[in-house]
Amino acid sequence: MTKFFLVLHVLAAIVAVGPVTVAASMFPPGARRALADPRDQRAAETLRLLHRICRVYAGLGIAVPVLGLATAMSMGVLGDAWLIASMALTGIAAAVLLALVLPRQEELLEAVESAAGADATTEVAAATEVAAATEVATGTTGAGAPIGATDTTTSAGVAANPRATVRLAMFTGIFNLLWATVTILMIVRPGSTTGA
């Protein structure tokens, strides 16, 4: 039974945690691209997909510690230091994902979607102003505001978000590092009496 639980545990880790680590790592650069060009629908769709992968596979990832506990019980190693450390690091990794990574992904996704909506509204407003402007040669719209002034405010609102992508990348890196450490502990099993 131990081998059965171990196989399921390893498969669950590969199938559930692997996609989260990859998708979460791809999200910050994708968010930077989407924020840089709010009209790029493909970048926004990619972000939605990456976030969905992270959310869904994070839920499936619950199977990893459950199957890990079943494996540990069948091996009789629940009290071993390497296993306790692995369980603590797994809990911390889950907390980082749920409290720091996924909410920041959602915030950036909302920022990208609102920037795309604001950009479309700005384009329509700018086209209307330019068509109605009688003072185009002076560089002002009919209302006396500089042409493109609304673009500047939209860009300024979005310009703060690249810092958010850097923070998200940091939290994602911490999440990935925690999982890498758990993987190493599971393979090396320091102090284990069951053999390596």
Side-chain angles (χ1 to χ4, degrees):
M1 196 63 148
T2 299
K3 288 184 181 182
F4 175 72
F5 284 135
L6 183 59
V7 168
L8 289 179
H9 174 61
V10 170
L11 285 175
I14 292 169
V15 171
V17 179
V20 173
T21 57
V22 172
S25 297
M26 292 173 65
F27 193 95
R32 283 190 284 276
R33 269 192 305 279
L35 289 169
D37 185 7
R39 291 175 295 224
D40 187 354
Q41 287 296 317
R42 189 171 190 171
E45 289 169 7
T46 300
L47 279 188
R48 280 188 219 98
L49 175 64
L50 291 172
H51 180 63
R52 190 174 322 123
I53 289 169
C54 290
R55 268 194 351 254
V56 169
Y57 283 93
L60 295 175
I62 293 170
V64 176
V66 169
L67 291 168
L69 282 173
T71 304
M73 283 192 287
S74 68
M75 291 174 67
V77 294
L78 275 177
D80 286 7
W82 64 270
L83 185 65
I84 294 168
S86 294
M87 290 189 300
L89 292 173
T90 299
I92 294 168
V96 167
L97 180 65
L98 295 175
L100 300 173
V101 174
L102 292 177
R104 280 171 174 73
Q105 283 183 353
E106 290 171 8
E107 289 170 7
L108 283 168
L109 196 53
E110 289 172 8
V112 166
E113 289 171 350
S114 67
D119 191 54
T121 303
T122 299
E123 285 179 8
V124 170
T128 304
E129 288 177 7
V130 168
T134 56
E135 302 168 336
V136 173
T138 62
T140 60
T141 63
I147 294 175
T150 51
D151 289 338
T152 305
T153 57
T154 301
S155 298
V158 174
N161 287 329
R163 290 186 115 174
T165 64
V166 171
R167 280 191 295 276
L168 176 59
M170 177 188 68
F171 292 130
T172 301
I174 291 168
F175 170 77
N176 291 343
L177 185 61
L178 287 166
W179 272 115
T181 305
V182 169
T183 303
I184 291 167
L185 284 172
M186 290 291 159
I187 294 168
V188 175
R189 297 187 286 180
S192 174
T193 57
T194 60

